Amino acid sequence: MQDSVKYAKNGAIATITLNRPEKYNTIRPELLEQLDAALREANTDNGVKVIILEGAGDSFCGGFDFSDGLQHYDEIVEDNYDPGLDVNLVVNQYKTYLNQFMGLWRGLKPVIAKIHGYCVGGGSEMALCADLVVASDDARIGTPYSRVWGCHLSGMWVYRLGLAKAKYYALTGDWISGKEAADIELINFSCPLEELDERVQKLAEKLANIPLTQLISMKLIVNQAYDNMGLQSTQTLGPILDGIMRNTPEGREFVRVAKADGVKRAVTLRDGPFGDYSQAPVEEQPRKRSALP
C-alpha cells in the first residue's frame, strides 16, 4: 500500500506531499496520521527552516473522502447519531482532525501551501492553515459543504477575509480561482500553473536565508494576534456545527445518496443547480498538471 503522505528534505526545505493522486488526495484518517508524523519530523529537525505542503497528481486536495460507502468515517455517519459522542470526536484533542490541520499553524516552522487543481472543502481548510499560500491561477478553491453536510472547521476562511467576503463565501459556497483568491487576499500569490513549482521554490529559498529563530519568532507573534481574536473558540464551535449539519435531513440524504449511488451522484445533486465544481463546464475546470508539456 502506498504512503498517503510523502516526506522529503533538501537542505533547509522539507516537502510534504499528500499522496493519493487517484483520489484527488482526499482526506482519510491514515492521511491525517501520516501528515501529523511528517509535520512532527520537520518541526523537530533543527536543520529544517521551511516546509512546503503540496498535493501529488492533478489536485492539491478534494476535501474529505466520501467514497467506498464512507466506512472509514463510520463514527460520524452512524444511523444512530449521538450528538454527545460526535462532540467528543470533533472537539477532543486526541481524536479531532483539526490537530493535523492546525499542525501547520502551531508548528513554528513556516509552511507554504502550494495549490493547484482542486482545493476544496476540508482541503481548503487545511491549506488555509498554512502561513503562506501560493496557487496556480486556474486552481479552484471553495467550500461546497456550505450547501449541505458541513460548516467551517478551522475558521481560516473567516480570519483571512474581511466581513463582506467571508460572509458571502460562507453563505453561497461559491468557488473561486487561484487568481481571484489572491486578488481578494484569501491567499498570498497566484501564478500560471507552469510557473508554480519555481515560484514556490524561490519563496522557500528566500525564507531559508533567514535565521530559524527569526522565522519562528515572527510566525509566533503574528499567530498570537489571531489567537487573541478568538481562533480557539471558533474552532470549537465550527466542528460542533459541522456535526449537526451532517445529521440534518438534507445531510443524511446526501450520505444516503453517496452510499447508494456513489459520490458522483451526491455531488451532482448538490452542485448541479450552481454549475460549479465538478458540474462546471469543461472550460472552467482547473487545468491538469499531468497535461503540461
Side-chain angles (χ1 to χ4, degrees), residues 58-106:
D58 288 327
S59 284
F60 174 77
C61 179
F64 285 92
D65 189 347
F66 299 147
S67 65
D68 301 327
L70 287 91
Q71 298 98 327
H72 45 290
Y73 289 122
D74 279 346
E75 196 169 0
I76 64 172
V77 294
E78 289 177 326
D79 292 333
N80 297 318
Y81 169 60
D82 184 328
L85 287 179
D86 196 279
V87 170
N88 181 56
L89 172 69
V90 298
V91 177
N92 187 330
Q93 65 172 325
Y94 297 104
K95 296 171 76 77
T96 178
Y97 43 79
L98 267 179
N99 280 353
Q100 286 79 34
F101 289 5
M102 287 299 287
L104 307 176
W105 176 274
R106 301 285 179 216

Side-chain angles (χ1 to χ4, degrees), residues 215-232:
L215 292 171
I216 64 177
S217 295
M218 297 308 293
K219 175 171 178 174
L220 182 60
I221 192 65
V222 175
N223 282 7
Q224 189 61 51
Y226 281 84
D227 284 338
N228 290 341
M229 294 179 194
L231 183 60
Q232 180 62 53

Side-chain angles (χ1 to χ4, degrees), residues 18 20-27 56 58-63 118 288:
L18 308 179
R20 301 185 69 229
E22 73 288 352
K23 293 286 188 178
Y24 297 94
N25 301 313
T26 46
I27 301 166
D58 288 327
S59 284
F60 174 77
C61 179
Y118 283 106
K288 295 181 182 295

Side-chain angles (χ1 to χ4, degrees), residues 8-264:
K9 177 183 172 183
N10 183 9
I13 301 171
T15 300
I16 298 173
T17 305
L18 308 179
N19 189 42
R20 301 185 69 229
E22 73 288 352
K23 293 286 188 178
Y24 297 94
N25 301 313
T26 46
I27 301 166
R28 285 191 175 221
E30 60 270 21
L31 182 144
L32 291 173
E33 291 169 5
Q34 292 176 30
L35 173 62
D36 185 68
L39 288 169
R40 184 181 303 111
E41 182 169 352
N43 277 285
T44 55
D45 181 350
N46 285 341
V48 171
K49 293 184 178 181
V50 187
I51 302 166
I52 296 172
L53 177 67
E54 64 180 12
D58 288 327
S59 284
F60 174 77
C61 179
F64 285 92
D65 189 347
F66 299 147
S67 65
D68 301 327
L70 287 91
Q71 298 98 327
H72 45 290
Y73 289 122
D74 279 346
E75 196 169 0
I76 64 172
V77 294
E78 289 177 326
D79 292 333
N80 297 318
Y81 169 60
D82 184 328
L85 287 179
D86 196 279
V87 170
N88 181 56
L89 172 69
V90 298
V91 177
N92 187 330
Q93 65 172 325
Y94 297 104
K95 296 171 76 77
T96 178
Y97 43 79
L98 267 179
N99 280 353
Q100 286 79 34
F101 289 5
M102 287 299 287
L104 307 176
W105 176 274
R106 301 285 179 216
L108 290 184
K109 308 289 179 71
V111 180
I112 305 169
K114 180 167 68 175
I115 306 304
H116 73 292
Y118 283 106
C119 176
V120 298
S124 72
E125 300 274 0
M126 181 193 304
L128 295 179
C129 287
D131 303 294
L132 302 174
V133 184
V134 184
S136 63
D137 290 335
D138 63 333
R140 291 295 184 266
I141 305 169
T143 57
Y145 61 65
S146 295
R147 297 165 182 171
V148 69
W149 216 66
C151 185
H152 280 329
L153 303 171
S154 67
M156 293 304 176
W157 274 89
V158 178
Y159 284 93
R160 284 177 170 266
L161 291 172
L163 176 62
K165 294 293 186 183
K167 192 148 303 180
Y168 177 80
Y169 290 109
L171 292 174
T172 65
D174 282 0
W175 70 354
I176 53 175
S177 69
K179 184 177 187 308
E180 291 168 326
D183 288 344
I184 66 174
E185 298 186 355
L186 177 67
I187 67 172
N188 298 91
F189 310 108
S190 75
C191 62
L193 179 60
E194 293 86 348
E195 300 173 13
L196 182 62
D197 289 342
E198 182 180 5
R199 180 73 177 269
V200 171
Q201 183 65 27
K202 285 185 176 180
L203 179 56
E205 290 172 355
K206 182 177 186 177
L207 295 180
N209 283 320
I210 299 171
L212 175 61
T213 51
Q214 284 293 138
L215 292 171
I216 64 177
S217 295
M218 297 308 293
K219 175 171 178 174
L220 182 60
I221 192 65
V222 175
N223 282 7
Q224 189 61 51
Y226 281 84
D227 284 338
N228 290 341
M229 294 179 194
L231 183 60
Q232 180 62 53
S233 60
T234 300
Q235 292 181 346
T236 299
L237 179 60
I240 291 173
L241 291 175
D242 182 70
I244 296 171
M245 291 304 99
R246 284 188 267 103
N247 288 279
T248 61
E250 295 86 357
R252 286 177 175 270
E253 177 63 11
F254 180 84
V255 172
R256 187 198 67 76
V257 173
K259 284 184 172 182
D261 303 323
V263 178
K264 184 176 181 179

